[in-house]
Amino acid sequence: MDSKKRSSQEAEGSKERGLVHVWQAGSCSVTPERLPGWTGKTVLQAALGVKHGVLLTEDGEVYSFGTLPWRSEPAELCPSSPILENALVGQYVVTVATGSFHSGAVTESGVVYMWGENSAGQCAVANQQYVPEPNPVSISDSETSPLLAVRILQLACGEEHTLALSISREIWAWGTGCQLGLITTTFPVTKPQKVEHLAGRVVLQVACGAFHSLALVQCLPSQDLKPVPERCNQCSQLLITMTDKEDHVIISDSHCCPLGVTLSENQASTAITPSTETLDSQGEVFENALTQNALPAATELNVGNDQTTSVQTISSPQDDMGTTEIPPARSSPPYPDPQAVNEYVQSDHSVRENSENGEKPMPSQPLVEEAIPNLHSPPTTSTSALNSLVVSCASAVGVRVAATYEAGALSLKKVMNFYSTVPCEPGAQAGSSSMGPEGLKDSREEQVKQESMQGKKSSSLVDIREEESEGGTRRLSLPGLLSQVSPRLLRRAARVKTRTVVLTPTYSGEADALLPSLRTEVWTWGKGKDGQLGHGDVLPRLQPLCVKCLDGKEVIHLEAGGYHSLALTAKSQVYSWGSNTFGQLGHSDFPTTVPRLAKMNSENGVWSVAAGQDYSLFLVDTEDFQPGLYYSGRQDPTEGDNLPENHSGTKTPVLLSCSKLGYISRVTAGKDSCLALVDKNIMGYIASLHELATTERRFYSKLSDIKSHVLRPLLSLENLGTASTVQLLQEVASRFSKLCYLIGQHGTSLSSFLQGIKEARSLVILKHASLFLDSYTEQVSSPVSCSVSAGLFCQGEQLLNQKRLD
């Protein structure tokens, strides 16, 4: 009897899940209502377009509702209730997506079906205005022989394009416009093509706005423990770049590899050729973007033809340094008087003459010998080596140098190679007897410009600006006159830092296979006239470009609205950028062309987002664990407004009255409509799941704060005690970081779990309990006891407080 009652309660509970509620966007006072005409089946996913929507039920069926002008039957053009897509009956659909006027679905076997408007080829059908019924799309990889069908995991649709993420984590695109990310000017593209610029990268998710695209990409494995090459193995770009300014040079090794195919000679010539052809129906000209994307490839081909000083890797002091022909010298040498340099060196007591050398060196040579005893020695990982090298370069070359540096052998090696043939060295005198210092300077300036162009191929304008601004906090500035190099700078260059603890561990085993990765990057491309690409400008991008200011933010989900973008992080924060006409970004910060944090009125974190045409929705944790729904964006005029066309917006996100609906598991946004999937709390099961997920997300936020506000500053201190104390602290920090990372991964997986079927037996913490137990056991069974750990942290906090007072 009890078993029958329990089964009936479970059946009743299943009917109270996935309830569909809709309401009109543009108002903060409307209470969501049940979708008219819906039969009550459990809905797992919903998607909204401009005037239509689709529903995916628990049994894999797809229903369409709204205005459907592509349907063949007149009664189905505007149905009063959702209608079943009969062409998909028998096909178990696992995910759906909608664009502005078209829809798509992916079956369990990885086959894509498209239907709706096809004027731009967004349904992958040629010469057909509408596709009335779901039509299978053939996606095959031409690089395999014989041709193999590509299985798809996820689909995203814009207004005139569609993106598909394959099971091999590659992006396939079709439709019209630069938002495809394809190297072509022939539109529409009705045969799906691979986005080669992200080939070889692990893409986790794709999202489409009206005319722009987003991709969440897993970071490349760390190469810290491997020899660092001079050029990237994938894109052949220089891993160290030098930006020549009017009065200084910026040295940076923050290379971000696009891992896309380099433009070949014929492609580069086509792309560089100025053209006023329109690439889409909007008539927008992408000449600037074509030049920007193709120029680095072209300069890479021409660098070898320029007459510049040869740069070679120095392996030993006996290696000969090759030189090439240098342009004729000019007058007005830029170097200071050698005698003045010698007097400065003697008066400042910063260096001494090397009496052991039998030959008489040049006046500036003693500074080089003192700053770096062996210029030809192999590079080290010490930051002080690079600092010393910058000092020596300033004294030997006599130009204005300011180095924006990051510790690593790469920077040191590259700078050594760049300055390996200065005029004061014997190896360079023989090959440059007829050249003047001005000619050498011009040659180096040209090489710096070429290399800096190559290094910035995958960086945006805002990345360069932020790189320079951030460099102010870690820059060794050597102004124009050599006499301004202080002894304090030389003493700082002599410091050696040996502690290196990775606070963001990289899991390469079972954890990465079962849990979502937090080491991610955001790549964007397409039209950017409203700043929706996040690169600090309004230029279009023909190929994917990394938004580097989001590196390290642990982005776990992306949403694209009409002309704005949202990025949700594992720390329950939301970054937004793009059009902010109606406050849809959730903040009023400027510029809006770069990602900024959305500002919630609540102190609790955000765990789900949705982006509409000109508004955004945020699901926020609350104190009672029932999600709160916030709205930010367009506010339609009220009935009493005399100017109905006058639209306003919200200044900050506003809480909607949805507490009586139940536990919201997913929100979806369209143009004028919003949709929420709600679960009723039957027998307390749903409430328990939300409490578990909320607690785990909050726990990770606290652990992240400890890591960033305590561990990182603590490890950066110089006087931490004895070597054994430092070793214990390193061990504590390493184990703590691993546990923190695992908690973050689990919190992210719980957020995804709440948006699915919600079967308890499919919880990762139950299916793979050993993964969590092993990590917890490792943490508590560490040789470093809890009391020792607490003592180390207390000592670290005291040192931090003392440093602040000083």
Side-chain angles (χ1 to χ4, degrees):
M1 184 67 181
D2 293 339
S3 60
K4 293 182 179 180
K5 184 177 181 181
R6 188 181 303 110
S7 61
S8 62
Q9 289 177 346
E10 292 178 355
E12 182 67 21
S14 63
K15 295 180 181 179
E16 297 298 326
R17 300 181 190 174
L19 305 180
V20 183
H21 292 261
V22 295
W23 69 99
Q24 288 294 313
S27 177
C28 299
S29 59
V30 176
T31 302
E33 299 177 353
R34 296 289 291 269
L35 179 65
W38 181 237
T39 58
K41 288 188 176 182
T42 300
V43 177
L44 296 181
Q45 185 187 2
L48 294 177
V50 172
K51 294 182 179 181
H52 80 289
V54 294
L55 304 174
L56 174 61
T57 63
E58 191 176 18
D59 51 7
E61 295 179 340
V62 177
Y63 291 79
S64 298
F65 63 95
T67 304
L68 313 174
W70 49 85
R71 304 290 294 194
S72 57
E73 297 294 332
E76 297 178 347
L77 297 180
C78 189
S80 59
S81 61
I83 59 176
L84 177 65
E85 295 293 346
N86 294 316
L88 294 175
V89 173
Q91 302 287 340
Y92 188 84
V93 178
V94 294
T95 183
V96 293
T98 58
S100 296
F101 303 99
H102 70 292
S103 306
V106 180
T107 66
E108 189 177 25
S109 58
V111 179
V112 175
Y113 286 81
M114 302 296 302
W115 68 99
E117 184 175 323
N118 187 53
S119 58
Q122 57 265 53
C123 291
V125 178
N127 304 321
Q128 190 171 335
Q129 179 72 18
Y130 293 109
V131 179
E133 300 288 340
N135 180 67
V137 177
S138 175
I139 305 177
S140 58
D141 194 348
S142 59
E143 297 178 358
T144 61
S145 181
L147 295 179
L148 297 178
V150 177
R151 296 181 59 186
I152 300 300
L153 288 176
Q154 188 222 334
L155 207 61
C157 303
E159 185 162 326
E160 295 182 346
H161 74 297
T162 303
L163 299 181
L165 179 61
S166 70
I167 196 172
S168 58
R169 299 296 178 177
E170 296 176 323
I171 301 178
W172 295 78
W174 59 92
T176 299
C178 62
Q179 60 269 26
L180 297 181
L182 304 176
I183 307 176
T184 182
T185 56
T186 303
F187 299 110
V189 176
T190 56
K191 180 178 176 55
Q193 297 183 20
K194 185 191 300 183
V195 180
E196 295 288 355
H197 208 70
L198 286 174
R201 301 297 297 266
V202 178
V203 181
L204 305 176
Q205 183 214 343
V206 290
C208 292
F211 298 99
H212 71 287
S213 304
L214 311 176
L216 186 63
V217 182
Q218 186 172 343
C219 292
L220 292 174
S222 177
Q223 302 293 333
D224 296 340
L225 303 179
K226 297 181 180 180
V228 183
E230 183 175 346
R231 290 180 178 271
C232 178
N233 294 330
Q234 300 292 338
C235 63
S236 299
Q237 296 181 16
L238 293 172
L239 296 177
I240 178 75
T241 60
M242 296 186 180
T243 306
D244 190 11
K245 299 295 183 179
E246 294 180 357
D247 58 346
H248 65 277
V249 175
I250 294 179
I251 305 171
S252 174
D253 57 358
S254 58
H255 169 70
C256 183
C257 177
L259 285 185
V261 293
T262 304
L263 291 177
S264 59
E265 294 184 6
N266 57 345
Q267 290 171 331
S269 61
T270 304
I272 297 176
T273 303
S275 173
T276 58
E277 290 184 358
T278 59
L279 297 183
D280 51 50
S281 59
Q282 300 294 326
E284 184 170 348
V285 179
F286 303 109
E287 179 181 347
N288 294 337
L290 283 168
T291 306
Q292 180 178 357
N293 284 273
L295 184 57
T299 55
E300 184 177 352
L301 299 175
N302 296 332
V303 167
N305 299 330
D306 293 339
Q307 293 178 340
T308 58
T309 304
S310 175
V311 177
Q312 295 182 357
T313 303
I314 305 174
S315 58
S316 64
Q318 289 78 17
D319 290 346
D320 295 329
M321 292 175 289
T323 58
T324 58
E325 184 179 353
I326 304 298
R330 300 179 183 177
S331 58
S332 67
Y335 300 96
D337 183 24
Q339 186 64 25
V341 174
N342 194 24
E343 292 177 358
Y344 162 76
V345 170
Q346 294 178 356
S347 62
D348 195 56
H349 300 286
S350 60
V351 293
R352 302 178 203 168
E353 257 185 69
N354 188 358
S355 58
E356 298 177 1
N357 190 353
E359 300 180 2
K360 183 178 181 180
M362 293 293 291
S364 60
Q365 187 69 15
L367 182 59
V368 180
E369 295 289 341
E370 180 67 18
I372 301 181
N374 187 2
L375 182 61
H376 305 282
S377 60
T380 65
T381 59
S382 173
T383 307
S384 62
L386 177 58
N387 299 343
S388 304
L389 183 58
V390 173
V391 176
S392 65
C393 292
S395 60
V397 182
V399 297
R400 303 180 178 186
V401 177
T404 301
Y405 66 93
E406 296 179 23
L410 180 59
S411 299
L412 177 60
K413 176 182 176 181
K414 182 58 186 175
V415 179
M416 289 173 60
N417 295 340
F418 188 81
Y419 288 102
S420 60
T421 55
V422 293
C424 60
E425 296 182 4
Q429 291 177 356
S432 59
S433 58
S434 61
M435 70 177 180
E438 185 68 25
L440 180 60
K441 177 184 178 183
D442 294 341
S443 173
R444 281 177 179 158
E445 288 179 351
E446 181 65 23
Q447 183 177 357
V448 166
K449 293 178 181 178
Q450 300 285 357
E451 293 178 353
S452 63
M453 290 291 292
Q454 290 177 339
K456 300 303 178 186
K457 178 178 179 182
S458 61
S459 298
S460 58
L461 296 180
V462 67
D463 298 331
I464 301 175
R465 296 191 190 111
E466 291 192 359
E467 174 183 302
E468 296 174 3
S469 63
E470 292 174 359
T473 62
R474 64 177 192 271
R475 178 177 297 168
L476 294 182
S477 182
L478 303 180
L481 297 179
L482 182 62
S483 59
Q484 297 182 17
V485 181
S486 64
R488 179 185 60 82
L489 181 60
L490 297 177
R491 289 195 300 269
R492 182 178 178 182
R495 298 174 184 172
V496 178
K497 296 183 180 180
T498 58
R499 293 191 306 275
T500 55
V501 177
V502 179
L503 294 182
T504 305
T506 302
Y507 282 87
S508 57
E510 188 179 6
D512 266 349
L514 300 175
L515 296 171
S517 174
L518 305 185
R519 302 181 67 253
T520 56
E521 300 171 342
V522 177
W523 292 67
T524 64
W525 64 100
K527 295 183 180 180
K529 63 180 180 180
D530 291 293
Q532 61 265 46
L533 300 185
H535 301 306
D537 52 48
V538 293
L539 299 176
R541 297 297 192 279
L542 304 184
Q543 291 183 344
L545 187 66
C546 182
V547 184
K548 292 187 64 179
C549 54
L550 287 176
D551 288 355
K553 303 300 183 182
E554 298 182 344
V555 177
I556 58 175
H557 185 75
L558 297 174
E559 284 287 333
Y563 302 96
H564 70 288
S565 305
L566 305 176
L568 177 65
T569 71
K571 299 176 183 178
S572 300
Q573 297 175 327
V574 177
Y575 288 86
S576 56
W577 61 97
S579 175
N580 200 29
T581 306
F582 303 105
Q584 57 263 47
L585 298 185
H587 63 75
S588 57
D589 296 337
F590 289 94
T592 60
T593 56
V594 295
R596 304 285 184 183
L597 274 176
K599 300 175 182 178
M600 299 289 113
N601 294 330
S602 172
E603 296 180 357
N604 297 305
V606 181
W607 65 276
S608 183
V609 294
Q613 182 77 7
D614 44 21
Y615 65 92
S616 302
L617 299 174
F618 307 92
L619 271 182
V620 180
D621 291 322
T622 60
E623 295 300 329
D624 59 356
F625 308 113
Q626 184 174 351
L629 181 59
Y630 281 78
Y631 174 90
S632 181
R634 186 187 80 238
Q635 286 279 14
D636 293 335
T638 59
E639 296 180 358
D641 197 338
N642 296 327
L643 297 176
E645 70 278 4
N646 182 22
H647 293 266
S648 61
T650 58
K651 295 182 179 179
T652 57
V654 179
L655 178 64
L656 300 182
S657 300
C658 301
S659 58
K660 297 181 180 180
L661 297 180
Y663 286 78
I664 302 176
S665 62
R666 188 193 292 261
V667 289
T668 305
K671 182 180 185 297
D672 297 318
S673 300
C674 306
L675 187 147
L677 298 182
V678 180
D679 300 323
K680 295 295 183 179
N681 186 26
I682 302 299
M683 300 179 63
Y685 174 68
I686 298 298
S688 300
L689 292 178
H690 280 270
E691 182 178 357
L692 173 62
T694 301
T695 304
E696 196 78 340
R697 289 191 293 262
R698 290 176 178 174
F699 185 39
Y700 178 66
S701 297
K702 296 295 183 182
L703 294 180
S704 298
D705 290 340
I706 294 175
K707 186 171 65 174
S708 59
H709 297 151
V710 177
L711 277 183
R712 291 187 188 278
L714 185 61
L715 293 173
S716 64
L717 295 179
E718 298 179 0
N719 301 319
L720 285 178
T722 62
S724 59
T725 303
V726 174
Q727 184 177 0
L728 289 177
L729 178 60
Q730 290 179 347
E731 183 177 354
V732 171
S734 177
R735 293 180 183 274
F736 179 85
S737 299
K738 290 181 180 180
L739 179 62
C740 179
Y741 190 82
L742 181 62
I743 296 297
Q745 287 181 303
H746 185 228
T748 303
S749 68
L750 286 176
S751 299
S752 301
F753 176 82
L754 290 176
Q755 299 176 346
I757 302 178
K758 306 179 191 64
E759 292 183 355
R761 59 176 176 268
S762 62
L763 281 170
V764 178
I765 197 171
L766 297 181
K767 292 177 61 177
H768 306 279
S770 59
L771 175 65
F772 297 88
L773 292 176
D774 293 344
S775 299
Y776 296 146
T777 303
E778 180 184 4
Q779 177 71 19
V780 299
S781 63
S782 171
V784 183
S785 63
C786 296
S787 58
V788 176
S789 301
L792 288 174
F793 280 109
C794 291
Q795 180 183 1
E797 289 184 354
Q798 293 177 359
L799 292 174
L800 289 175
N801 293 331
Q802 182 179 359
K803 184 177 180 181
R804 295 189 186 99
L805 294 176
D806 296 340

